[in-house]
Amino acid sequence: MHSMTAMDTAARPGDTEFDRGTAVTEHPAEPGVYRTELDGGWRIGGGINGGLLLATAARALSRELRSGSGHPDPYSISAYYLSASTPGPATLHTEVVRRGRSVSTGQVSLIQQRPDGTRAERLRALATYGDLDALPEDVRTSATPPELPPPDQCIGADQAPPDFLAQADLLHRLDLRLDPACVGWALGVPSGSGTIRGWLRLADGRDPDPLMLLLAADSLPPVTFDLGLFGWTPTLELTVHVRAKPAPGWLLVSHTTRNLAGGYLEEDAEVWDSTGRLVAQSRQLAAAPRP
Amino acid sequence: MHSMTAMDTAARPGDTEFDRGTAVTEHPAEPGVYRTELDGGWRIGGGINGGLLLATAARALSRELRSGSGHPDPYSISAYYLSASTPGPATLHTEVVRRGRSVSTGQVSLIQQRPDGTRAERLRALATYGDLDALPEDVRTSATPPELPPPDQCIGADQAPPDFLAQADLLHRLDLRLDPACVGWALGVPSGSGTIRGWLRLADGRDPDPLMLLLAADSLPPVTFDLGLFGWTPTLELTVHVRAKPAPGWLLVSHTTRNLAGGYLEEDAEVWDSTGRLVAQSRQLAAAPRP
């Protein structure tokens, strides 16, 4: 029911904030190397959003694994975050690890230069790609999407704490509607259950695709808000499984944590498309906010 | 209550099947390169068990990140499986990606030679290591361990289908006691819920440690047995978070899947120690058995 709304206003692929933000161009002289420009509009906290970086890295790898192997789509991608990215130019260094018949595996590093000219690796990722359109149609998923009110009865992300919003440029690029049951933290009464969920689409109406799901998996406020912890949760590692191409329209994203201990937490995300299909699952290990 | 039993018979570290199976020695001439001997006793299906391979790779990386950085323990490790390993010699090529104050990140490839002399990369992993002993004591975990009967009232893995046992040498190295509620498949009546859980320890009594948890996360029968699918489920990607050093004694391991679709499934594992602490969480993307 939501897909019509989104399609009515959909920005054209290639001419959207997300496509510009994750655009890569081949280096003229170095095979397998791509250039990108990290846009400060995707900033959150001390750096560029980890999901946007992952989508950019994944786009470079998609170019490499599509040509020759016919494997344009990430099935699984695991990123290890090494240092905070800054707005400005970056290069993506890809390596094809293995080309196979049904899947291929590659590696990609996102690298920037520090002001002093030294090389700073921001993230490194391994990934296995395939062709989502070539997969069989069978769906025996036992998971069911969480139930929440429709987007127009949910809470805009502008209700987040002002300290958070001040460092979350990213939120202007997203249309994020949070389940009222999960935003007690905005009123000073976090539920304590460790859940945040809501509807998500890109603010300019650009419909989701496999690369956009990588952003979706890391774009809700930290699940620790629901535990009453409002600091930042820097990601050490983020793995996303993309299981199907999403239908047009709203995504339903649910974040949970079950294991906050020893200064770290895991954060699981499930991303459902407008037909109710579970199209992506992710887990990250993040540093917990200091109490 | 189980820890005493295990400690009574505990094999000495270094002189156990697991320590021998995952032993690595520095290459005399090439810094960062280690040698190992893959033992057919850890075979399952068409290759060496993925968890054992991961523990071996992690041991090499632990050597590199302990010296210099003081980071001996994997916090998160993500392995991409490239081809089936065979019993015999292998080399581990490590790279230190980043040395940090609280954590360091590395990469490792496990490589064998094919009979024709060509190089075959079996797996490549990225990982972030730290020092589990240095973490704060806070535990706010909301997850609770599953309830199941004590080990002596559970079902030995020798009840698995004969076709499975014939290719599962690994099971002789493990003392695996499955929850009777999850072994309907052994009697031809799988529950269909997508869950397998049980008690696990090493058959020779060797107590668990962080590297052994990497094996534990991938050593139960495939969760697809509980869905009535008895073929193999080759792992594309396996990420394990090690969250604490396990106490001596039995581990409780729970495997679940929520999303079997398009020829693939995710398999989540939780590993609890004998004190009831959630010490490891893992997720893998695996190819579903062909119907």
Side-chain angles (χ1 to χ4, degrees), chain A residues 20-224:
Chain A
R20 286 192 297 271
T22 58
V24 300
T25 53
E26 282 178 59
H27 192 289
E30 297 181 61
V33 178
Y34 294 80
R35 290 167 167 171
T36 191
E37 185 76 21
L38 299 179
D39 170 357
W42 297 100
R43 244 183 317 204
I44 187 152
I48 308 289
N49 170 265
L52 194 280
L53 296 176
L54 186 59
T56 306
R59 190 181 293 285
L61 212 44
S62 175
R63 290 271 201 96
E64 290 293 308
L65 297 175
R66 185 176 51 198
S67 65
S69 301
H71 296 144
D73 304 315
Y75 284 6
S76 176
I77 183 162
S78 300
Y80 281 71
Y81 292 87
L82 303 164
S83 55
S85 300
T86 53
T91 54
L92 298 143
H93 296 250
T94 66
E95 175 193 349
V96 176
V97 177
R98 173 183 174 270
R99 290 191 191 272
R101 198 163 47 89
S102 55
V103 294
S104 294
T105 300
Q107 177 173 317
V108 56
S109 290
L110 190 149
I111 291 166
Q112 292 191 300
Q113 276 200 343
R114 294 193 193 86
D116 67 5
T118 57
R119 177 182 180 279
E121 188 167 350
R122 301 308 190 189
L123 76 81
R124 188 179 293 199
L126 286 168
T128 288
Y129 278 58
D131 179 0
L132 288 168
D133 288 331
L135 294 182
E137 293 290 325
D138 64 298
V139 177
R140 293 182 55 173
T141 304
S142 60
T144 51
E147 293 190 12
L148 68 170
D152 61 3
Q153 293 171 35
C154 286
I155 311 290
D158 50 356
Q159 300 301 309
D163 288 358
F164 180 75
L165 286 178
Q167 297 185 68
D169 294 322
L170 166 76
L171 292 181
H172 301 294
R173 302 264 164 100
L174 307 176
D175 187 355
L176 179 58
R177 314 283 181 93
L178 298 171
D179 183 350
C182 301
V183 293
W185 44 268
L187 307 168
V189 283
S191 86
S193 79
T195 301
I196 289 192
R197 58 179 173 247
W199 302 99
L200 174 73
R201 58 179 183 182
L202 291 165
D204 63 7
R206 195 262 200 202
D207 273 317
D209 64 7
L211 292 184
M212 184 273 179
L213 295 178
L214 306 182
L215 169 65
D218 191 42
S219 56
L220 263 57
V223 71
T224 39

Side-chain angles (χ1 to χ4, degrees), chain A residues 107 124 141 243 259 264, chain B residues 107 124 141 243 259-260 264:
Chain A
Q107 177 173 317
R124 188 179 293 199
T141 304
R243 302 295 302 278
N259 194 11
Y264 292 91
Chain B
Q107 177 173 317
R124 187 178 294 199
T141 303
R243 301 296 302 278
N259 195 10
L260 172 63
Y264 291 91

Side-chain angles (χ1 to χ4, degrees), chain A residues 247-248 250 272-277 279:
Chain A
W250 287 99
W272 308 77
D273 73 6
S274 60
T275 71
R277 178 151 182 190
V279 290

